[in-house]
């Protein structure tokens, strides 16, 4: 299994980003997928998840600002991030909702105030 994240960058507070994660080596459509993030000095946390059927769940800290979606034909999961805050600064990763697969390199999101 390989997971390749992209789309991060440096943005000002209030800005938006769209992260992408391309998956290979697995039957993508049957997997519940998640976006995680790890800020400096903190543990990796699950911030958004989407089931194979498209149901979504979010951490309280991102509800209303983050939207997870998936395109099974492209084997890609997305994370739309709006109203970015400095505390959203982290490396963002995708994985199975349970974190089962080898981690990719992640994509850095840095929010300036």
């Amino acid at each position: 299994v390989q997971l390749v994240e992209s789309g991060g960058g440096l943005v000002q507070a209030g800005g938006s980003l769209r992260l992408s994660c391309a998956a290979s080596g697995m039957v993508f459509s049957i997997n519940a997928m998640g976006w995680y993030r790890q800020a400096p000095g903190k543990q990796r946390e699950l911030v958004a998840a989407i089931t194979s059927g498209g149901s979504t769940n979010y951490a309280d800290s991102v509800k209303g600002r983050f939207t997870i979606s998936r395109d099974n034909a492209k084997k890609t999961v997305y994370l739309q991030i709006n109203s970015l805050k400095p505390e959203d600064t982290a490396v963002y990763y995708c994985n199975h909702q349970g974190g089962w697969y080898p981690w990719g390199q992640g994509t850095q999101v840095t929010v300036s105030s």
Side-chain angles (χ1 to χ4, degrees):
V1 173
Q2 187 174 22
L3 300 164
V4 180
E5 301 91 349
S6 62
L10 172 63
V11 296
Q12 290 188 334
S16 298
L17 283 172
R18 189 192 194 206
L19 309 184
S20 299
C21 171
S24 60
M26 63 173 176
V27 182
F28 179 80
S29 61
I30 67 172
N31 280 270
M33 297 297 294
W35 278 97
Y36 296 75
R37 68 184 181 187
Q38 187 166 22
K42 295 188 177 181
Q43 287 191 333
R44 189 174 290 164
E45 62 172 338
L46 179 65
V47 296
I50 185 166
T51 67
S52 58
S55 297
T56 58
N57 255 310
Y58 300 93
D60 288 344
S61 59
V62 307
K63 277 181 183 176
R65 300 188 298 120
F66 288 21
T67 303
I68 188 171
S69 61
R70 64 191 298 157
D71 184 331
N72 289 336
K74 295 182 178 179
K75 297 185 178 181
T76 301
V77 60
Y78 304 97
L79 187 67
Q80 177 69 40
I81 309 175
N82 297 327
S83 303
L84 277 158
K85 303 177 180 180
E87 51 264 42
D88 294 321
T89 294
V91 180
Y92 284 71
Y93 304 86
C94 73
N95 206 311
H96 184 277
Q97 185 177 355
W100 293 350
Y101 297 126
W103 296 93
Q105 82 287 350
T107 187
Q108 175 72 48
V109 172
T110 303
V111 185
S112 62
S113 56

